[in-house]
Amino acid sequence: MEKHIERVIDTGFVNHDVKFFRLEKPENYDFSPGQATEVSINNSDWSDEKRPFTFTSLPDEEYLEFTIKIYSSHEGVTNELAGIDRGDELILHEVFGAIQYKGKGVFIAGGAGVTPFIAIFRKLHKDGNIDGNKLIFGNKTEKDIILKNEFEKMLGDHFINILSDEDIKPYDHGFIDREYIEKLGVKKDQYFYVCGPPPMMEQVLKALEEIGVDEKYIVKEDL
């Protein structure tokens, strides 16, 4: 199995529980925006504990970046990553992932499920092709919104936030269900990119089916 041990060159928190990691990039290590790899920590206790994380850097950048939600209550890999600093090493493996940009459409994300879309939007924005795309982003609270300022800069009014646990302006309140998707006036004959926790995925995919969206227009990770 492909394996690369790479040094962390920069890291920091982007909100209260999400941290970015920038690593040295292996030679000839290529990926498409939206794809991922398995990552583990290079020490004797954690090197075999691999977890999938999405690249949030662009393929032509000189470093690799991951943006990772830290689950401090789980005492698992992400909790351990919270203590990783510059100079520490992570182990990377083969690239995988079915989420790739196919054309203009609606991106629907729940929590850390937005990470596959970060590099996609960064690439579209860099190339001047972001117009015609929309991001619907569901979170529990305002403080949970990942890269809020960057998404607002890239997408403007096409960055739509809905919060389940807070009812505050200017955000919508509730869940991303059929009623909400239809209220936004989306067209069914366009691409829908969907990523999030299993309950959210089940609800959104069911809603898209009921609306009449053909499976060929739905882009999600293969389960």
Side-chain angles (χ1 to χ4, degrees), residues 8-168:
V8 176
I9 56 177
D10 196 13
T11 184
F13 280 88
V14 301
N15 71 9
H16 70 104
D17 64 354
V18 175
K19 190 176 183 182
F20 78 89
F21 300 86
R22 290 181 179 171
L23 284 69
E24 293 176 333
K25 187 176 182 178
E27 189 174 350
N28 299 320
Y29 191 78
D30 195 26
F31 63 93
S32 297
Q35 290 192 301
T37 187
E38 286 191 315
V39 178
S40 57
I41 300 168
N42 190 31
N43 64 38
S44 57
D45 294 327
W46 293 93
S47 61
D48 292 331
E49 295 292 327
K50 300 189 291 290
R51 298 292 185 275
F53 296 115
T54 308
F55 302 103
T56 52
S57 51
L58 298 182
D60 60 357
E61 290 178 311
E62 295 181 353
Y63 56 83
L64 296 176
E65 182 188 86
F66 301 92
T67 304
I68 298 173
K69 186 176 178 67
I70 304 298
Y71 296 92
S72 57
S73 61
H74 292 187
E75 297 184 356
V77 171
T78 66
N79 182 56
E80 202 65 23
L81 283 168
I84 292 295
D85 207 344
R86 297 176 186 175
D88 293 330
E89 294 177 335
L90 300 181
I91 305 171
L92 313 180
H93 296 86
E94 294 152 344
V95 173
F96 68 90
I99 296 179
Q100 297 185 47
Y101 187 68
K102 296 180 180 295
K104 298 182 186 300
V106 178
F107 292 74
I108 303 176
V114 78
T115 54
F117 304 154
I118 294 172
I120 291 175
F121 280 125
R122 285 174 172 173
K123 174 67 172 169
L124 292 171
H125 182 66
K126 180 181 177 181
D127 294 345
N129 294 324
I130 203 165
D131 288 350
N133 291 288
K134 178 182 298 186
L135 172 60
I136 303 171
F137 194 10
N139 285 283
K140 290 183 178 180
T141 68
E142 180 182 24
K143 71 177 183 179
D144 297 320
I145 301 173
I146 299 170
L147 299 178
K148 176 177 175 286
N149 291 338
E150 183 176 357
F151 281 129
E152 285 179 342
K153 181 179 178 181
M154 291 191 294
L155 289 160
D157 292 340
H158 295 290
F159 177 42
I160 301 165
N161 290 278
I162 179 169
L163 308 177
S164 62
D165 293 4
E166 287 182 341
D167 189 359
I168 56 174

